[in-house]
Amino acid sequence: MSSKTLIRTTSALALCLTASAAFAQDTTITIATVNNGDMIRMQGYTDQFTEATGIAVEWVTLEENVLRQRVTTDITTNGGQFDIMTIGMYETPIWGANGWLVPLDGLSEDYNVDDILPAMRGGLSHEGTLYAAPFYGESSMVMYRTDLMEAAGLEMPDAPTWEFIREAAAAMTDRENDVNGICLRGKPGWGEGGAFITAMSNSFGARWFDMDWNAQFDTQPWLDTLTFFEGMMSESGPAGYATNGFNENLSLFQQGLCGMWIDATVAASFVTNPEDSEVADSVGFALAPDNGLGVRSNWLWAWALAIPAGTQQADAALQFIEWATSSDYIELVAENEGWANVPPGARTSLYENPNYISVPFAQMTLDSILSADPNNSTVEPSPYVGIQFAAIPEFAGIASEVSQEFSAFYAGQQTVEEALANAQAITSEAMEAAGY
């Protein structure tokens, strides 16, 4: 963390926060968040928020799958453990519709809600009301080693196919030096390996449900997806990939042990940061792959901050959300750590800022976000909204179980036919029980 951490006290937002400090001296809010780099970076600046407002902050930082379980349990039982939750585009509209979240209709004029990218604002709203503010937004894209690609005699297209990715992965794999041609998520969890394989399956023509909500795991596109994925990862992926998620693959890539990594666009700042990445000076970017069927395999997501309806500290929580998701916070990070390290994908103004748009991955991130359409995510029509998820309350539970079946296949514990048959049975039974 840089030592130049002076909050922009001349801004209207900071003045507003300072004015409220007098009555907030005895206030403490508890925030549940995910253990990724941008959220951990935010925690490093929290003292400045406390100094300006008098509001103390306690953090509960959890691995992604654990976070989802904890916040879901708390919100559904009105447990009141947290004043702010880090949630995403799947939970927000559902929980907002259920009355489980505080509407964010009290944000100040200086905050400029209209500056939030439409894709992010729409995904975090229900019936036009914003229920969570995006800390950062993301799609997914290819990150690759330019030096290894050149050594393999290949050139990455801006919009590659899956066949090219598999060919390049095999060409870049060097088992003697522990270099894997490709690193991808295989870890169980609907938002971990489940998210990746669902987005990938879209480009193979698969879908979770047909228009009558019948499960579709007994179809050829799903067999093609899993067979291709497992074959490519067995040829060119790391050992134990069935248990690797975002953080594990990030570490592998930063150590120079991956030729390619297809994952969240937000990772670009970490793989290009020379303080953390051994390959920072040789990273290129491309759109997520397709199969020529008109659908790419990129997703759309935001890690966002929301206020559970059970909190007793709604006003203080709103102040924190306004601070942490503002343009002023972006400028604070840029001043101390450079524009490449600011939270991306949330605000239109960021992509109009010449200081940011010159960052090597900025345009590809924006292109990936803008090309992701949660209303038309599959080749054949589907009844649900969402790309790497189906926006129905039952999905998280179903997909968590299905992802475990897939990971068991990746690990060699069952055949692809068994994995898909189990996924079909799990999904069909759950949907029937839910009344679909």
Side-chain angles (χ1 to χ4, degrees), residues 81-102:
Q81 285 185 293
F82 309 114
D83 303 299
I84 294 175
M85 294 176 168
T86 305
I87 60 176
M89 288 185 168
Y90 167 68
E91 300 96 342
T92 301
I94 296 171
W95 294 1
N98 287 342
W100 295 346
L101 300 175
V102 176

Side-chain angles (χ1 to χ4, degrees), residues 9 25 81 150 153 214 319 327 373 422 425:
T9 54
Q25 291 294 331
Q81 285 185 293
E150 182 179 357
N214 297 306
Q319 285 190 63
S327 295
D373 185 356
N422 291 340

Side-chain angles (χ1 to χ4, degrees), residues 14-327:
L15 288 172
C16 177
L17 293 176
T18 303
S20 66
F23 68 83
Q25 291 294 331
D26 297 326
T27 301
T28 299
I29 58 174
T30 302
I31 304 175
T33 196
V34 66
N35 65 338
N36 66 32
D38 281 291
M39 294 302 183
I40 292 170
R41 179 181 286 130
M42 175 172 58
Q43 295 175 41
Y45 290 104
T46 303
D47 287 347
Q48 298 184 38
F49 170 77
T50 299
E51 182 179 347
T53 64
I55 300 169
V57 179
E58 293 183 355
W59 292 92
V60 178
T61 307
L62 303 166
E63 188 270 332
E64 184 171 329
N65 287 337
V66 178
L67 172 75
R68 295 185 196 281
Q69 294 168 359
R70 287 280 299 276
V71 300
T72 299
T73 299
D74 192 68
I75 200 82
T76 55
T77 61
N78 198 29
Q81 285 185 293
F82 309 114
D83 303 299
I84 294 175
M85 294 176 168
T86 305
I87 60 176
M89 288 185 168
Y90 167 68
E91 300 96 342
T92 301
I94 296 171
W95 294 1
N98 287 342
W100 295 346
L101 300 175
V102 176
L104 300 186
D105 49 15
L107 293 165
S108 71
E109 183 177 344
D110 291 321
Y111 179 80
N112 192 7
V113 171
D114 292 336
D115 187 40
I116 298 174
L117 281 167
M120 300 302 157
R121 187 173 178 182
L124 297 170
S125 298
H126 173 67
E127 294 184 347
T129 297
L130 189 71
Y131 282 94
F135 182 69
Y136 68 74
E138 67 179 42
S139 183
S140 54
M141 65 182 176
V142 182
M143 293 161 278
Y144 66 96
R145 291 270 302 276
T146 55
D147 56 335
L148 295 183
M149 188 69 70
E150 182 179 357
L154 299 171
E155 183 176 346
M156 175 70 76
D158 287 339
T161 65
W162 276 111
E163 286 297 337
F164 175 85
I165 293 296
R166 186 168 186 170
E167 175 190 354
M172 288 191 286
T173 298
D174 181 357
R175 296 299 190 197
E176 291 185 2
N177 293 302
D178 294 325
V179 175
N180 307 285
I182 191 163
C183 293
L184 300 174
R185 301 187 194 188
K187 187 176 186 175
W190 73 262
E192 276 279 9
F196 182 88
I197 201 67
T198 296
M200 180 178 178
S201 76
N202 294 335
S203 68
F204 278 74
R207 52 186 174 166
W208 269 74
F209 307 104
D210 67 12
M211 293 301 290
D212 294 319
W213 293 102
N214 297 306
Q216 295 294 289
F217 293 106
D218 56 357
T219 61
Q220 189 66 41
W222 268 109
L223 179 62
D224 292 343
T225 302
L226 290 195
T227 301
F228 185 94
F229 178 85
E230 189 276 336
M232 179 173 61
M233 295 302 290
S234 295
E235 294 166 0
S236 307
Y241 73 88
T243 59
N244 286 351
F246 175 86
N247 285 327
E248 291 83 2
N249 287 325
L250 171 61
S251 178
L252 287 170
F253 195 95
Q254 287 178 322
Q255 295 175 63
L257 302 180
C258 298
M260 290 180 291
W261 179 31
I262 304 170
D263 213 297
T265 53
V266 71
S269 67
F270 301 112
V271 298
T272 57
N273 185 340
E275 294 184 8
D276 301 317
S277 175
E278 297 178 19
V279 297
D281 60 350
S282 57
V283 182
F285 306 95
L287 292 173
D290 71 357
N291 274 314
L293 300 178
V295 174
R296 305 205 77 81
S297 51
N298 56 311
W299 62 63
L300 187 68
W301 186 253
W303 276 120
L305 303 180
I307 304 172
T311 181
Q312 302 300 309
Q313 306 285 359
D315 290 342
L318 185 65
Q319 285 190 63
F320 183 88
I321 289 176
E322 184 155 338
W323 172 78
T325 65
S326 67
S327 295

Side-chain angles (χ1 to χ4, degrees), residues 354-373:
N355 294 313
Y356 187 72
I357 204 64
S358 62
V359 171
F361 52 80
Q363 190 61 52
M364 188 60 72
T365 295
L366 182 61
D367 290 346
S368 298
I369 289 172
L370 295 179
S371 68
D373 185 356

